[in-house]
Amino acid sequence: MCEEATRSRVLVVGATGRLGGCLVRASLAAGHPTFALVRPHHLAVPDSAPLTSLAGATVVKGSLEDYPSLLEAVRQVDVVICAVPTKQALEQKLLIRAIKDAGCVKRFIPAEYGLDPTKVQICGMDHGFYEKKIEIRHLIESECIPHTYICCNFLMRYLLPSLVQPGLDAPPRDEVKIFGDGNTRGVFVEETDVAKFTICTIDDPRTLNNTLYLRPLGNVYSMNKLVDLWEKKINKFLNKIYITEEQLLKNIEDAPLPLKMDLIFIYSTFIKGDQTYFEIDSRKEGTQLYPHVNYTTVDGYLDKLV
């Protein structure tokens, strides 16, 4: 194993968030000198959970609205990883400017994750969710910034704990709604695994200026297969209610936020097939590139919910 001194220095922006914290810990575990950009209000409470979870990382004060702080932080590293929520996606513009001006960053991983925004078939009904990510991609590429995009599809903590039943906090034990014919497949990946695969890319020339997709074989499920798996675990058949595409679109139209967005993502994944309708080159899929990385399967995740 290389000594730490020869490993890329990594800055994580959005480090106090759940995914950001996972990225910090994965970077440290891989032996990278790791820096965490933290907003001043978090630093005011040094024993807070977000900060204590960053033990081992070098904490630097800054924010996406403060260009001087971004430039100072970026100048200390080789790799920048951003993990802010999509609602803040366009706030990465100053960070991109800092990366360009610093001139020392050999890899930028923007806050994408989720679905590949260039593949979704619901633009126009997603309230600009994916357009923001596409705009950031265009800026990165126009500035010729070396990059890797991470497309991990659904994080397991989103929708899977309810078996894709919006409004529920746990999987159903009597009745389940299945959207469409139930045969279109979606993909779920545990957050800590997303972080591990992301860190694998930063010194890998195969992923430079490319997209890494995560589509682990044990994590690709249609709703029918997901319900079948759950029924076997609880040893009980559920009453299945099939929601047609027409009915789901009506539900989306009538639903308030944030339920509306949940239904839109369900429509995108389990009706349109936006996560799985296209083939992936094996040279771009995480479990193929990094077979040594162990990951949580949907089967294993649901075991914890029985």
Side-chain angles (χ1 to χ4, degrees), residues 24-36:
V24 168
R25 291 186 288 277
S27 178
L28 289 168
H32 294 282
T34 304
F35 298 73

Side-chain angles (χ1 to χ4, degrees), residues 33-49:
T34 304
F35 298 73
L37 190 76
V38 176
R39 289 172 173 269
H41 72 271
H42 283 301
L43 293 173
V45 189
D47 59 348
S48 64

Side-chain angles (χ1 to χ4, degrees), residues 11 23 36 48 70 76 86 93 138 151 158 170 181 186 190 194-195 215 225 230 237 250 259-260 265 267 281 305:
L11 172 68
L23 286 161
S48 64
L70 291 175
Q76 301 179 62
T86 298
K93 289 182 177 182
H138 288 164
C151 296
Y158 180 68
D181 63 10
E190 177 61 70
V194 173
R215 198 185 281 182
K225 292 292 187 183
W230 180 245
F237 289 109
K250 180 66 167 59
L259 174 60
K260 183 186 292 288
F265 294 141
Y267 175 75
D281 186 325
L305 304 180

Side-chain angles (χ1 to χ4, degrees), residues 99-132:
I99 291 170
K100 181 74 172 179
D101 291 347
C104 60
V105 172
K106 66 178 186 181
R107 190 79 61 106
F108 175 45
I109 299 178
E112 275 220 5
Y113 313 101
L115 283 67
D116 184 339
T118 68
K119 303 290 188 185
V120 295
Q121 305 169 91
I122 60 164
C123 287
M125 65 181 294
D126 63 344
H127 298 268
F129 188 88
Y130 293 109
E131 283 87 344
K132 295 173 186 174

Side-chain angles (χ1 to χ4, degrees), residues 93-305:
K93 289 182 177 182
L94 268 187
L95 177 60
I96 292 168
R97 178 183 154 198
I99 291 170
K100 181 74 172 179
D101 291 347
C104 60
V105 172
K106 66 178 186 181
R107 190 79 61 106
F108 175 45
I109 299 178
E112 275 220 5
Y113 313 101
L115 283 67
D116 184 339
T118 68
K119 303 290 188 185
V120 295
Q121 305 169 91
I122 60 164
C123 287
M125 65 181 294
D126 63 344
H127 298 268
F129 188 88
Y130 293 109
E131 283 87 344
K132 295 173 186 174
K133 296 183 178 185
I134 291 172
E135 183 175 342
I136 290 299
R137 280 195 180 195
H138 288 164
L139 180 58
I140 290 168
E141 293 164 17
S142 68
E143 294 290 354
C144 298
I145 291 173
H147 60 272
T148 299
Y149 304 132
I150 308 293
C151 296
C152 63
N153 300 298
F154 283 148
L155 296 177
M156 282 188 174
R157 64 175 164 86
Y158 180 68
L159 292 178
L160 188 57
S162 69
L163 219 67
V164 196
Q165 305 297 295
L168 296 186
D169 297 323
R173 292 180 180 266
D174 296 301
E175 182 179 280
V176 63
K177 293 177 181 176
I178 295 177
F179 299 94
D181 63 10
N183 293 324
T184 305
R185 300 178 303 160
V187 184
F188 299 89
V189 186
E190 177 61 70
E191 216 154 16
T192 54
D193 299 331
V194 173
K196 287 186 289 186
F197 282 112
T198 298
I199 296 302
C200 285
T201 69
I202 63 179
D203 289 319
D204 187 348
R206 296 173 298 178
T207 58
L208 181 62
N209 297 330
N210 222 324
T211 299
L212 180 81
Y213 294 95
L214 295 181
R215 198 185 281 182
L217 290 179
N219 294 25
V220 182
Y221 274 83
S222 68
M223 286 207 67
N224 283 333
K225 292 292 187 183
L226 198 58
V227 171
D228 180 61
L229 177 63
W230 180 245
E231 287 178 329
K232 289 176 181 175
K233 290 186 182 298
I234 63 173
N235 196 29
K236 180 181 179 181
F237 289 109
L238 303 181
N239 180 35
K240 300 172 185 66
I241 300 175
Y242 284 83
I243 307 298
T244 64
E245 177 177 356
E246 181 182 22
Q247 181 59 56
L248 179 55
L249 287 171
K250 180 66 167 59
N251 293 348
I252 290 170
E253 183 180 343
D254 295 340
L257 292 170
L259 174 60
K260 183 186 292 288
M261 293 306 297
D262 291 339
L263 296 176
I264 288 171
F265 294 141
I266 288 171
Y267 175 75
S268 168
T269 299
F270 294 107
I271 300 290
K272 303 299 286 184
D274 283 344
Q275 295 183 357
T276 55
Y277 77 85
F278 57 96
E279 295 296 320
I280 297 174
D281 186 325
S282 62
R283 293 170 294 180
K284 294 185 177 184
E285 201 285 313
T287 60
Q288 298 294 315
L289 284 176
Y290 313 113
H292 65 282
V293 176
N294 294 320
Y295 60 87
T296 302
T297 62
V298 166
D299 192 348
Y301 185 89
L302 290 181
D303 279 340
K304 298 183 293 186
L305 304 180

